[in-house]
Amino acid sequence: MATLSYTGITSLDGYLADADGNFDWAVPDDEVHAFINDLERPVGTYLFGRRMYEVMTFWETAHTLADPPPVIRDFTGIWRAADKVVFSTSLETTSTARTRIERSFDPEAVRRLKATAAREIGVGGANLAGQAIAAGLVDEIRMFLAPVVVGGGTRFLDGVRLNLDLLDERRFGNGMVYLRYRAEARA
């Protein structure tokens, strides 16, 4: 059975984006980016909500930027090699390869995907991740805590209750901290 993980860069107070929707404070340096690339390399399928998908479409062509750093070229390859499923009632078409739209989140369909997938599955977008967590589908939660407090915005985890088992942690030179948890039975 494939592992389904939820990964994100958050502020110390638990936000993916601030109250204005900005997340420029979360841009990883090369050390963190290379670590994230290695975490994401085993992912064969990404599950996204519409907003997160729209943010991530940058990676479809990031390799065409003028002289992109190696970590950018590397993640672009990871992104382009993975299948993408976008859960949206409003998105008409996709702008990336290997992408399909599903109109509603079906926990049983994701369970079947986990049972048959040869590679890991990643979920992106706080709302969609919350639905997957509530359905008991998320096996791991991976957080990169940025050394900033933003005071409000889009929460990384909202409306879910979980017991977590710490599997890994790492400190980076830029002050970010990586935490990897196994999601235990819901409390």
Side-chain angles (χ1 to χ4, degrees):
M1 178 172 287
T3 298
L4 193 153
S5 61
Y6 175 38
T7 304
I9 299 174
T10 75
S11 62
L12 185 60
D13 53 344
Y15 294 95
L16 292 167
D18 65 24
D20 295 322
N22 296 320
F23 51 90
D24 53 349
W25 46 265
V27 174
D29 66 11
D30 285 353
E31 177 191 21
V32 174
H33 208 303
F35 185 84
I36 291 170
N37 289 356
D38 288 341
L39 277 181
E40 297 299 307
R41 203 172 311 286
V43 173
T45 304
Y46 285 107
L47 311 176
F48 291 116
R50 180 191 52 81
R51 286 186 302 247
M52 180 57 75
Y53 169 72
E54 289 172 343
V55 168
M56 295 300 290
T57 60
F58 165 81
W59 295 104
E60 191 74 8
T61 58
H63 64 288
T64 65
L65 297 172
D67 197 29
V71 293
I72 298 293
R73 286 193 306 272
D74 187 27
F75 190 79
T76 298
I78 294 165
W79 164 265
R80 292 172 60 94
D83 294 324
K84 279 94 48 196
V85 181
V86 183
F87 295 89
S88 174
T89 58
S90 61
L91 191 65
E92 294 297 324
T93 62
T94 64
S95 60
T96 57
R98 303 179 65 138
T99 306
R100 75 176 196 272
I101 299 171
E102 292 291 335
R103 294 296 170 204
S104 64
F105 177 73
D106 179 358
E108 290 311 311
V110 175
R111 251 184 259 298
R112 288 190 298 276
L113 175 63
K114 283 182 67 173
T116 60
R119 299 182 64 203
E120 290 183 19
I121 303 165
V123 60
N127 185 288
L128 183 63
Q131 291 177 63
I133 291 167
L137 295 166
V138 174
D139 302 298
E140 291 187 3
I141 296 174
R142 302 168 181 171
M143 300 176 69
F144 289 83
L145 299 176
V148 62
V149 174
V150 299
T154 303
R155 297 198 59 77
F156 178 69
L157 295 167
D158 193 21
V160 297
R161 183 179 174 101
L162 286 173
N163 293 322
L164 301 172
D165 181 28
L166 183 64
L167 299 175
D168 195 12
E169 60 187 282
R170 179 172 169 175
R171 293 173 55 168
F172 295 93
N174 68 357
M176 280 193 178
V177 176
Y178 166 68
L179 300 169
R180 177 178 158 232
Y181 293 97
R182 176 178 29 249
E184 296 292 326
R186 287 177 282 188

